[in-house]
Amino acid sequence: MKKFLFFVFVCFLSSIIFSDLGKYEGWEKTWVQHFLTKKEQKEFKKLKTEKEAEDFVLLFWAKRDPTPGTPRNEFKERCEMLVKIADKDYSTEKMKGSLTDRGKVLLLLGPPFARKEVAYSDSEGNLKGEGVNMTESQSAFMYGKMDVWQYRKEQLSRLPFELPWQELVVEFKKEEGQKDFYLNRNLANVLKAISLAQEGWIKSPDLKEVPEWAKTMGVSPFILLSEKILKGEEPLKKDTALTTYGIFYDSNNQTYGSNIIVFDENSPIKDQKEVNIFLQILDKDNNEVLKIEDKVAPQQTIRGFYLDRSFLISEGNYKLLQIVGKDDSSVLYSNLIDINVPNFRNWE
C-alpha cells in the first residue's frame, strides 16, 4: 500500500515538474472556464508543453468560430466585449466581474432584456417587494438582495443554439454580509440553459487539429500584412489615395504627429462608416517605435474624403507604414513614407 501511494505521489509530482505551459499557465482559470466543456477541462490538465497548450487554445477558438475560414472570429470578439462589461460592472475587491456568476451568465447568454433588484426576507428567497428600501418590519426579516434577469423569447431565439423556453428568469442572491451576488441554483431551467450554452457555442465539434485559417487567430491581419510589406513580399497599394502627409506640432512640451490620408470623391472609402487604420513607425534601423491599430470614420471634404489619426512621437527621422482596410481585412490603401519630426524645443 505504501509503495502504491509513493508511486501515485511520484506521478503527481512529475506532472507538476514536467509541465511547462508558458504563457498559457492558468489559462483555463480565466473567463474561458465558462465555455470549457468537462472533456476540454480534462484534456487541458493533461497538457505538458506551451506548444500543446497553444494548439489547444487555437482549437478551442476555432471550434466556436461562427464563420470558419474567415479572418475574424466573431465569437471571440463578442466574448472580449462582454468581458469588459462584466469586469466594469460586477468586479469585487477579490474577483474580476467576468469570473463571477453574473459574469458567467452574461457571457453564456448575453445581456438580459430587463433586470431589477429586489429584496428577499426568508431563506427560500421569497420576494417581499421591489427595491431595497424596506419598512422596519420587513427589514427585521430581510436576508439580502436579489438581482433578477429576464430573457424574452426574441432574445433567446437569437442565440446560436436552441433553448426550450419562451422566457428565462435568472436570479442572483446577495445575502447580508456577503460581498457579491451568487447564482440561485435552485432553478433547474437556468442550470440547464447554462449547460446547453456551453455546448451550443461550439460550431465545429469535429475539428481535431488546428486548421490553417485559425493559426493566426488573435493576430491582426494588418500586422501580418505589414510584415510582408516590410520584407518586400507584398506590393504597396498607394495609388488609391490622392496624397498623404504628416503634420507635427508641440503641445505642453510633447510632440504630436497627425497622419492624414486624402482620397478622391469616387474612392470606395466613401461607402464606409468606419475603416481600420494601421500605422507602424520605424526608426533608421527598422526598429519599431510605435504601432497603432484603430477604427477611424472618413471625413468629407471638397476634394473627397480624408482620414486623420494622431499620435505622440519624439523628434527624429522615421519610416511610417500606413494601411487602411475594411473589417473583412481587404486593403483599401497602403504606403510606406519617410517622415521628419522636428525638435520644437530647439526653435527660437
Side-chain angles (χ1 to χ4, degrees):
M1 182 64 180
K2 289 183 178 179
K3 289 183 179 180
F4 174 74
L5 291 175
F6 178 75
F7 174 75
V8 171
F9 174 75
V10 170
C11 290
F12 172 73
L13 191 62
S14 298
S15 68
I16 297 176
I17 294 175
F18 297 109
S19 292
D20 182 11
L21 304 187
K23 63 182 180 181
Y24 298 102
E25 195 71 50
W27 175 84
E28 81 286 6
K29 297 177 183 177
T30 65
W31 56 265
V32 297
Q33 64 182 271
H34 305 320
F35 295 95
L36 286 169
T37 63
K38 291 182 179 180
K39 181 181 178 182
E40 287 174 326
Q41 291 172 7
K42 291 179 181 178
E43 290 174 350
F44 191 85
K45 289 179 180 178
K46 296 177 182 178
L47 303 179
K48 302 297 181 186
T49 67
E50 184 173 4
K51 180 62 172 64
E52 289 178 353
E54 181 177 54
D55 288 344
F56 180 94
V57 171
L58 289 174
L59 190 59
F60 169 87
W61 292 119
K63 285 182 176 181
R64 292 160 175 81
D65 191 343
T67 55
T70 64
R72 293 178 59 195
N73 185 330
E74 293 82 357
F75 169 77
K76 188 171 186 288
E77 293 174 6
R78 168 196 177 274
C79 288
E80 290 171 346
M81 177 190 69
L82 292 176
V83 164
K84 290 180 181 179
I85 295 173
D87 286 345
K88 178 178 178 293
D89 293 344
Y90 308 135
S91 290
T92 65
E93 293 180 2
K94 296 184 178 180
M95 186 177 293
K96 289 184 177 180
S98 53
L99 299 179
T100 64
D101 282 353
R102 288 190 292 181
K104 178 178 182 176
V105 174
L106 180 69
L107 282 163
L108 289 172
L109 301 180
F113 172 80
R115 55 177 295 200
K116 62 181 178 180
E117 194 171 280
V118 298
Y120 67 91
S121 62
D122 63 26
S123 59
E124 299 300 320
N126 295 322
L127 303 182
K128 294 295 291 184
E130 295 188 12
V132 294
N133 296 320
M134 310 291 289
T135 64
E136 288 187 12
S137 59
Q138 287 175 324
S139 62
F141 297 97
M142 190 181 75
Y143 279 82
K145 303 174 185 177
M146 188 178 291
D147 192 3
V148 182
W149 293 12
Q150 179 191 23
Y151 292 87
R152 290 189 173 180
K153 177 183 178 181
E154 54 268 29
Q155 276 182 295
L156 299 178
S157 63
R158 286 197 293 267
L159 291 169
F161 48 87
E162 187 175 347
L163 294 178
W165 305 287
Q166 298 293 312
E167 183 180 87
L168 188 67
V169 176
V170 185
E171 298 174 352
F172 303 93
K173 293 182 178 181
K174 183 181 180 183
E175 295 181 357
E176 205 166 359
Q178 290 185 325
K179 293 186 177 181
D180 192 22
F181 288 84
Y182 63 91
L183 180 66
N184 180 5
R185 288 175 168 78
N186 292 325
L187 302 176
N189 59 341
V190 173
L191 299 183
K192 181 65 174 177
I194 289 174
S195 177
L196 291 172
Q198 286 175 328
E199 296 286 348
W201 283 108
I202 299 175
K203 300 290 102 182
S204 304
D206 296 329
L207 278 180
K208 303 299 180 185
E209 296 181 355
V210 182
E212 285 298 319
W213 52 265
K215 290 182 178 179
T216 58
M217 196 175 300
V219 180
S220 165
F222 300 112
I223 291 178
L224 299 176
L225 177 61
S226 71
E227 293 174 354
K228 290 184 178 181
I229 290 175
L230 294 174
K231 291 178 181 177
E233 299 174 357
E234 186 76 22
L236 293 169
K237 198 174 182 180
K238 56 185 179 181
D239 295 334
T240 57
L242 292 174
T243 185
T244 179
Y245 55 93
I247 297 175
F248 303 97
Y249 55 95
D250 180 75
S251 177
N252 297 322
N253 291 322
Q254 288 187 312
T255 302
Y256 290 83
S258 187
N259 175 76
I260 299 174
I261 308 171
V262 182
F263 300 84
D264 67 34
E265 59 185 5
N266 296 316
S267 168
I269 203 171
K270 68 180 181 181
D271 300 321
Q272 306 297 314
K273 290 184 178 180
E274 283 187 327
V275 293
N276 296 292
I277 186 166
F278 175 88
L279 303 177
Q280 187 175 22
I281 297 178
L282 309 169
D283 64 16
K284 59 183 177 62
D285 298 318
N286 283 334
N287 296 314
E288 184 181 288
V289 176
L290 182 67
K291 181 164 59 185
I292 295 173
E293 186 168 358
D294 199 3
K295 285 187 177 293
V296 178
Q299 304 296 316
Q300 192 163 9
T301 68
I302 297 175
R303 298 183 63 187
F305 302 86
Y306 75 92
L307 302 175
D308 184 1
R309 180 59 166 85
S310 300
F311 48 86
L312 269 170
I313 192 168
S314 303
E315 65 273 3
N317 297 313
Y318 304 96
K319 291 179 181 178
L320 171 61
L321 175 61
Q322 310 158 309
I323 301 175
V324 178
K326 297 193 291 186
D327 282 341
D328 62 3
S329 301
S330 59
V331 177
L332 297 170
Y333 170 80
S334 61
N335 201 1
L336 184 63
I337 63 174
D338 294 319
I339 59 173
N340 175 258
V341 183
N343 185 342
F344 292 99
R345 281 163 287 287
N346 287 342
W347 289 16
E348 295 183 358

